[in-house]
Amino acid sequence: MGRLDRYLMREALVAMFAASGVLWIAMMANVGVQLFGTVMAGALPGQILPGLLWANAVKFLLFILPVAGFLGLLLALGRLYRDHEIPVLLACGASPLRLLRPIVWMALIWSLAVAWLSLAYWPATQAARDDMLQQARTASMYEQLPVGRFLVADEGRVTVYAERLGKDGRTIEDVFVHTRLPDAEGVERARRAWFEEDAEGVRRLVLEDGRRYDGFIGQGGWRVMEFSEHRIDLGLERNPAAERSKRSSASSMDLWLQGSRDALAELIKRASQPVSAFLLALLALPLARVAPRQGRFARLGAGILIYVIYFNLIAVAGKMVQDGRLAPLAGALLPHLLLLALIVFLFWRLGAFNRTRWVIQHAHP
């Protein structure tokens, strides 16, 4: 690696890490205050706070690295343009493609780190975070046990009352349940009961060793059933994002093997992170070119605008794949091909390909 490559890589890496650090600290400070307030309010147990902070740190790092690398390169290369270092290098015979070589190496390393985070580490971290939240929700569920009071659930359809709390602190004893159905009413008495919650966030009351009476009050004809165990859906804690969270925490290989449109859309979203990190790094060199009287931030606005449009195209393509309006391969490639076409056009405007042809013609007469 030549001195020029080392110099460009050093200048660029310092700016990339600085931009990543600033954005990451700003986002972590905000979410840290929110999580701490949630814990202080008693909505979450304090012992899961470090795990949640770490999960959010990984999540923010994943989404920050592509854009922070891009903005860091824009700032570093903009300074080199402003200080006339790149114009001097170009005047001395270094083509734009020659200056691109160290950036390509940095982009490869940067995008490989993003690929590991996006495809492997973040799904595992997401699964661990979901487990922690599930355990916290289950623990808080036992703090709402209807001991000595009436618990009305599912918009008044179910009413639960318990005489006392079990010795284990997780079950209720001598339980009364009233259910109102469209065609009947039910009354149940059970020796004991407890709550359970499935992976989709649906909470049910499990009654054990009881008897159920079905019918209408004052009309007679009651039906009596004895049971050893009966589950009642309370309609309390349905998590609308449970299925999406389940997909986001699944491993990338599982998503590929599933092959459904939802799974492929999630996989495309993950794969887009490292690809975008690499392409945005390539875009930085031609986009950072500024006129002599312009400052190093002259192209920052254009860079942010391109970034916003690009990532919105990725989101729209993923949604179209999920809805079946776009083939998975087209949804995975189309936004990146559009950005690649823009990169090639900007390098052509910079004269990179013309200069390359000039060198080849004079090197081989």
Side-chain angles (χ1 to χ4, degrees):
M1 185 178 296
R3 182 177 300 177
L4 175 60
D5 294 335
R6 292 196 301 270
Y7 175 70
L8 292 176
M9 290 183 68
R10 182 177 68 250
E11 293 292 320
L13 282 174
V14 169
M16 292 166 72
F17 278 112
S20 301
V22 169
L23 291 176
W24 183 79
I25 290 174
M27 298 182 74
M28 282 303 299
N30 182 43
V31 75
V33 170
Q34 293 179 0
L35 287 175
F36 186 76
T38 304
V39 170
M40 293 300 294
L44 288 175
Q47 59 267 26
I48 70 170
L49 181 60
L52 292 179
L53 285 174
W54 176 253
N56 280 280
V58 176
K59 177 182 179 180
F60 290 147
L61 193 63
L62 171 62
F63 290 99
I64 281 172
L65 286 180
V67 61
F70 174 53
L71 295 178
L73 276 173
L74 272 181
L75 294 176
L77 295 174
R79 186 194 67 80
L80 294 178
Y81 269 109
R82 183 202 62 188
D83 296 342
H84 308 293
E85 296 185 38
I86 289 182
V88 169
L89 290 173
L90 295 175
C92 292
S95 70
L97 295 181
R98 170 64 182 85
L99 301 179
L100 185 63
R101 187 171 68 183
I103 296 176
V104 169
W105 281 108
M106 286 187 303
L108 282 174
I109 298 172
W110 200 263
S111 59
L112 286 175
V114 175
W116 175 71
L117 284 174
S118 179
L119 298 175
Y121 191 69
W122 166 241
T125 305
Q126 170 89 339
R129 187 193 70 170
D130 291 345
D131 290 341
M132 286 189 295
L133 291 176
Q134 177 77 11
Q135 294 174 5
R137 285 195 299 266
T138 302
S140 65
M141 179 170 56
Y142 294 110
E143 299 176 358
Q144 305 172 7
L145 293 176
V147 178
R149 62 184 180 89
F150 289 95
L151 172 65
V152 181
D154 201 5
E155 299 180 351
R157 187 183 67 86
V158 181
T159 304
V160 184
Y161 178 88
E163 183 69 26
R164 58 186 174 273
L165 186 66
K167 294 181 180 180
D168 57 2
R170 292 176 173 266
T171 59
I172 49 180
E173 298 179 348
D174 196 5
V175 184
F176 166 85
V177 180
H178 174 260
T179 55
R180 182 179 294 109
L181 304 175
D183 56 348
E185 293 191 35
V187 176
E188 298 181 60
R189 293 295 301 270
R191 185 174 60 86
R192 68 176 190 146
W194 63 90
F195 287 108
E196 68 175 12
E197 182 175 358
D198 60 19
E200 297 180 354
V202 179
R203 290 186 181 179
R204 295 181 177 89
L205 179 66
V206 183
L207 302 173
E208 184 182 73
D209 191 13
R211 181 176 294 180
R212 178 178 176 87
Y213 304 86
D214 285 325
F216 279 108
I217 298 175
Q219 296 184 8
W222 287 80
R223 183 177 60 175
V224 181
M225 296 180 294
E226 293 186 353
F227 56 84
S228 59
E229 190 173 284
H230 180 216
R231 286 172 169 80
I232 300 177
D233 185 0
L234 298 179
L236 283 176
E237 296 291 335
R238 297 184 183 273
N239 185 2
E243 188 63 29
R244 178 172 51 84
S245 177
K246 185 177 179 181
R247 287 197 306 269
S248 63
S249 61
S251 68
S252 299
M253 182 58 66
D254 289 342
L255 293 176
W256 175 260
L257 294 177
Q258 289 177 21
S260 64
R261 290 194 174 273
D262 290 340
L264 290 178
E266 176 65 25
L267 191 59
I268 290 172
K269 175 184 174 182
R270 295 183 188 180
S272 295
Q273 295 292 330
V275 175
S276 64
F278 182 77
L279 292 180
L280 287 172
L282 299 186
L283 175 66
L285 179 60
L287 192 64
R289 182 183 182 184
V290 294
R293 295 182 179 274
Q294 291 179 322
R296 59 187 300 186
F297 303 103
R299 296 299 181 91
L300 192 59
I304 293 176
L305 178 61
I306 292 174
Y307 165 79
V308 171
I309 295 174
Y310 175 47
F311 271 84
N312 275 282
L313 287 176
I314 293 175
V316 170
K319 181 62 176 176
M320 292 180 69
V321 170
Q322 189 174 0
D323 295 341
R325 293 180 292 167
L326 191 65
L329 184 60
L333 295 180
L334 188 58
H336 308 299
L337 290 177
L338 291 175
L339 182 62
L340 184 60
L342 176 63
I343 293 171
V344 173
F345 171 75
L346 291 178
F347 270 103
W348 175 77
R349 287 284 304 272
L350 199 60
F353 305 114
N354 293 335
R355 188 175 182 83
T356 302
R357 287 198 300 268
W358 184 88
V359 172
I360 293 176
Q361 291 173 0
H362 286 74
H364 303 282

